[in-house]
Amino acid sequence: QVRLVESGGGSVQAGGSLTLSCVASGMILSDFWGSTMGWYRQAPGKQRELVANITSGALTNYGDSVKGRFTISKNNGKRAVSLQMNSLTPEDTAVYLCHLRRPSMQTYWGQGTQVTVSS
């Protein structure tokens, strides 16, 4: 059974940085290589939105609000994806959820990690 476990959330002041990590378990390495992984976020009263994702070919895609500030990377050997978040603002406050889409198109979600940015 595929499981995604996030870490790295927390509280930070505006202008600060955080790095989120997500490790996948329960899947063979070649399957992970072929997967697209990403991060979504959901703030209270708002719809879930894409933050960033990275394909098996290392193509990246970012939400407009985080372009130039966030960087996503994938470590196939560790079955992990990371999100480096810089220049954080209070508008970045949300629960950040790790997402994985397998080559078979099955999708999985992590439990989420809270990021709180204070002004």
Side-chain angles (χ1 to χ4, degrees), residues 23-46:
V23 177
S25 61
M27 60 191 310
I28 61 176
L29 192 56
S30 60
D31 203 15
F32 183 84
W33 286 345
S35 297
T36 293
M37 291 201 73
W39 292 91
Y40 287 73
R41 66 186 182 187
Q42 187 157 21
K46 294 187 177 180

Side-chain angles (χ1 to χ4, degrees), residues 37-106:
M37 291 201 73
W39 292 91
Y40 287 73
R41 66 186 182 187
Q42 187 157 21
K46 294 187 177 180
Q47 287 191 331
R48 187 172 294 185
E49 64 173 351
L50 172 70
V51 177
N53 62 22
I54 183 166
T55 70
S56 59
L59 294 176
T60 56
N61 181 41
Y62 294 92
D64 288 341
S65 63
V66 308
K67 285 180 181 177
R69 300 188 298 124
F70 291 11
T71 303
I72 190 170
S73 60
K74 191 180 179 191
N75 186 324
N76 287 320
K78 295 184 178 180
R79 294 180 177 85
V81 65
S82 296
L83 184 70
Q84 175 66 43
M85 305 185 294
N86 297 326
S87 302
L88 287 161
T89 74
E91 288 68 38
D92 294 315
T93 296
V95 174
Y96 284 69
L97 301 114
C98 182
H99 176 261
L100 183 148
R101 187 177 72 239
R102 300 175 80 164
S104 65
M105 302 306 287
Q106 286 177 295

